[in-house]
Structures are given as structure tokens and as C-alpha cells.
Amino acid sequence: MSTPTKKPRAAAGKRSRLYWAVPAALAGLVLVVLLAKWLMGLPGVASFVADYPGHSELPDNAPVGFPAWLAWQHFLNAFFLLLIIRTGWQVRTTTRPSGHWTRNNKGFIKTKNPPTKISLELWFHLTLDVLWILNGLLFAVLLFATGQWMRIVPTSWDVFPNALSAALQYASLNWPTENGWVNYNALQLLSYFVTVFIAAPLAFITGLRMSGAWPKKATGLNRAFPIEWARAVHFPVMVYFVAFIAVHVFLVLATGALRNLNHMYGVRDDDGWFGFWVFLASVVVMAAAWFLARPLFLRPIASLMGKVSR
């Protein structure tokens, strides 16, 4: 008789925590803004911001603007990440899979041991991972081949005081002014560097460690990199990506939406509407993919690569 009363109490407890969390977060943000404004009013801090305005100078041979391939890479990365985060959450929370998939061991990939049956959600997650990694490898090659790496890799130690300056400016609501077509501010640069060169590889290596592709009989390797470590890191990395995307989208829209969207989607540096319409089309594509990513449509695709069962 006690079971029915536990769930409502648990739900009420969660709602109560949420009710308190929202105003607490807002109060915390207000305090951060007030503290930042007070700091910016101090002569020493004002002098620091004047000396370090928030961006580092790029090398003389750094490229200006964004090539078309980078716009496509940006869209594909956002597309894959959206679905990867969704399927990752499904894998983590689904108790009754909508189906199962077993790899065809007579196809392109052949192994001595029989393939392991996995859930349809995990199959889709891993498939998206492979596509995301391939896209990332292509991105890395083009990034270093075209010199675009100089825009997201620190080339001077003054990036750190400039990042602190940019953070103070953001927190005080006196946001740093820069032209992203030419150069990112230091805080942007560091966040992109961490995302591309730290978070993404961490997501890959920890995901690989938890997958069936990892060699189970490699005793020394498994002892050096326990699966528990991978599980402990993989989920926080996903949370990081969610937070990064949320902040990134907010700042894109809040700091000159049309120009920023033209940079990323229109490959141009103006305030026209072209980038907005391309962005809107990309959102429609991602929304359609979100809708179609369900068992009814996934089973026929999965069956091309293996056996689908209940």
C-alpha cells in the first residue's frame, strides 16, 4: 500500500527542488553581475581591462573570414551532436529498448567472435558517433591545411589575461566588442579550443572504451583505462557539450544575430538576412531528423547493416 504514495512524494520533492533552484540560480547571476560591475569600477581592474581588452592578436598570416567548408562543417557538427546527445540520453535512461540489432558478421566488418546484440538506441548512437568522428577528422585536416587553426588555438600567453578580461566584461554586461569575422575574443578562443581538442577527443575515447569495439582481452590496457573511468567521464562530457551549445546559441543571438548567422551560415560579413534563412533551413532539417529518429524509421535502415529483432 505504500508504493503509490512514494512516487507522488518523490515527484513533489523534485518539483520543490526545482522551484528553489530557479530563483537561487537567478539570485546567483544577479550577484555575479553586481560583483563584476563593482570590480570593473576599481582603478586597478579598469587598468587591467585597458591593457588586456579581451582578445589576442593573431599571427600575420591568419586567415580572415570563414570558408564555405567551415559553414558546412558547422552545420554537420551541430546536426550530429544534437542526435548524439539525444540518443546518448536514451541509452542512459531507456529500460525497455524499442528493438535490438545484431551486426552482420559477413559484411564489411568481420570478427572471430560472434557479434553482440545491442539495443536499437545504442546502434543509432554508435552510428551517429562514427559519422561525427569522420566529420571531425575531415574538419581537423581542413582546419590545419587552411590555417583556420590559428583562430581557435592559442598562439600567445596573453590569451589567458585577455580571457579573464573578456569574462569580466561579459559578467558586468559590458560585453566585449570584436569582429568574429576577423578574430574571436580570448574567452571564445579558449572555449572553442577546449571543445575541439579536449572535449571531443574525450567523448570519443571514453565512448570507444565503453563500446564493443574495445578489446576485451587486452588485460594491461583495460587495467590502465578501466571502464569505470570511461563511464565517469563520458556523461560529464555530454553535459559540457549541452552547456556549451546553450551558451553558444545564446551569445550568437544576443550579440548581433544577423551578422553572426551570416558568418556561420552565409559565409559573408554583413547584416543581411541570408544567413538567417540558411540557419532556419538547418533548424528545419534538424527538427525533421529529430522526428524521424524513431524505431519506425530506424529499423529499415538498421536492417541494412544487420539483423533487427525485438
Side-chain angles (χ1 to χ4, degrees):
M1 296 297 292
S2 61
T3 303
T5 61
K6 287 183 179 180
K7 290 184 178 179
R9 287 179 181 176
K14 290 181 180 179
R15 285 196 298 268
S16 177
R17 288 193 294 270
L18 181 62
Y19 293 153
W20 282 106
V22 172
L26 292 175
L29 288 174
V30 170
L31 289 176
V32 168
V33 171
L34 292 175
L35 177 61
K37 284 185 173 293
W38 175 73
L39 288 172
M40 291 288 282
L42 299 177
V45 176
S47 176
F48 171 79
V49 173
D51 293 337
Y52 298 99
H55 64 272
S56 297
E57 295 297 328
L58 293 177
D60 294 336
N61 60 335
V64 175
F66 301 99
W69 67 262
L70 193 56
W72 276 102
Q73 284 283 319
H74 183 271
F75 162 70
L76 290 173
N77 191 54
F79 178 84
F80 290 136
L81 269 179
L82 175 70
L83 296 177
I84 285 172
I85 291 171
R86 181 197 182 193
T87 55
W89 184 254
Q90 288 175 332
V91 169
R92 184 179 178 87
T93 58
T94 299
T95 55
R96 289 188 177 182
S98 58
H100 292 85
W101 177 83
T102 307
R103 176 174 54 82
N104 178 12
N105 207 25
K106 297 180 181 179
F108 178 73
I109 300 176
K110 299 178 181 179
T111 57
K112 293 182 179 180
N113 297 323
T116 303
K117 180 188 290 187
I118 61 176
S119 69
L120 194 62
E121 289 80 8
L122 181 56
W123 165 81
F124 191 38
H125 183 70
L126 295 176
T127 302
L128 291 166
D129 286 342
V130 171
L131 295 174
W132 181 60
I133 291 165
L134 291 175
N135 184 65
L137 291 174
L138 179 60
F139 170 76
V141 170
L142 292 173
L143 193 73
F144 286 98
T146 61
Q148 287 287 335
W149 66 269
M150 286 180 274
R151 294 170 58 91
I152 63 170
V153 175
T155 57
S156 173
W157 287 107
D158 71 355
V159 68
F160 296 105
N162 273 301
L164 178 58
S165 173
L168 283 170
Q169 293 174 62
Y170 277 122
S172 65
L173 302 184
N174 183 24
W175 291 358
T177 57
E178 76 285 324
N179 183 2
W181 186 257
V182 178
N183 190 8
Y184 295 126
N185 71 55
L187 198 59
Q188 283 180 294
L189 187 153
L190 288 178
S191 66
Y192 295 152
F193 175 80
V194 169
T195 302
V196 173
F197 297 105
I198 298 178
L202 273 177
F204 166 66
I205 192 63
T206 54
L208 179 64
R209 177 63 182 90
M210 295 186 296
S211 74
W214 188 268
K216 294 181 175 61
K217 296 182 179 180
T219 307
L221 187 60
N222 292 335
R223 188 182 299 113
F225 187 20
I227 193 170
E228 292 79 12
W229 290 9
R231 288 172 178 159
V233 172
H234 197 70
F235 181 72
V237 170
M238 187 203 76
V239 174
Y240 167 82
F241 273 110
V242 172
F244 171 82
I245 292 169
V247 174
H248 179 65
V249 171
F250 170 75
L251 290 177
V252 165
L253 299 179
T255 59
L258 291 180
R259 182 173 292 273
N260 289 333
L261 292 175
N262 270 328
H263 289 176
M264 292 186 294
Y265 291 92
V267 197
R268 58 179 66 187
D269 185 28
D270 58 48
D271 293 323
W273 286 84
F274 179 74
F276 170 81
W277 294 117
V278 177
F279 165 72
L280 187 62
S282 74
V283 171
V284 171
V285 171
M286 288 189 283
W290 184 284
F291 172 78
L292 294 173
R294 53 188 61 198
L296 176 64
F297 302 104
L298 292 179
R299 287 193 186 100
I301 301 174
S303 64
L304 298 175
M305 309 176 194
K307 180 182 177 182
V308 177
S309 58
R310 292 290 181 181

